[in-house]
Amino acid sequence: MRPSQILRSSEIPIGKYGHFLNKDTWGNLGCIIRQKGIITYTISPNRQKIFAGAFHDAVFNTWRRFTSQVLYWAPPLLAAYYAMDWANKRNEYLNSKAGRAEFKEG
């Protein structure tokens, strides 16, 4: 239903013909006084760029963590490697012709 001629002749259009309740902001629905209880949230700038400096920090953080932990796992790893290498060489020698001749049964 369209407004009457009297209503259309006023300076402020009403309804769907150009007058909107929300003419300023969402918190001010056409009222002079701002509404209470409206809370707005924003994202901080450091959260907007989630990968800012990620690759640079990844390299240096990885290096820092590696250097702080290398003395805990490197010596046992080297000892196990050399023990396994010695055991393999010893096994090959004992199963060779020279090793069998050296430790011949009988």
Side-chain angles (χ1 to χ4, degrees):
M1 182 164 135
R2 294 182 59 162
S4 66
Q5 184 67 28
I6 297 170
L7 289 175
R8 285 194 293 158
S9 66
S10 65
E11 294 179 13
I12 301 174
I14 60 171
K16 62 181 181 178
Y17 298 101
H19 178 69
F20 302 102
L21 286 176
N22 185 11
K23 61 183 177 182
D24 292 331
T25 61
W26 281 104
N28 187 10
L29 296 175
C31 302
I32 297 171
I33 302 171
R34 289 187 65 85
Q35 292 182 349
K36 294 181 181 180
I38 305 289
I39 300 171
T40 58
Y41 296 97
T42 60
I43 299 175
S44 64
N46 62 340
R47 294 289 182 183
Q48 291 178 5
K49 294 183 179 181
I50 55 174
F51 287 115
F55 298 111
H56 178 268
D57 292 342
V59 170
F60 291 105
N61 190 34
T62 304
W63 178 253
R64 178 188 58 82
R65 292 176 69 182
F66 172 77
T67 56
S68 67
Q69 295 291 317
V70 71
L71 293 178
Y72 290 106
W73 57 266
L77 183 71
L78 290 173
Y81 174 78
Y82 284 120
M84 192 69 179
D85 187 48
W86 172 83
N88 285 335
K89 288 180 181 177
R90 180 76 175 157
N91 185 39
E92 287 177 11
Y93 173 73
L94 291 177
N95 288 320
S96 67
K97 189 173 186 179
R100 288 179 188 231
E102 185 179 342
F103 296 100
K104 174 175 19 174
E105 293 181 18

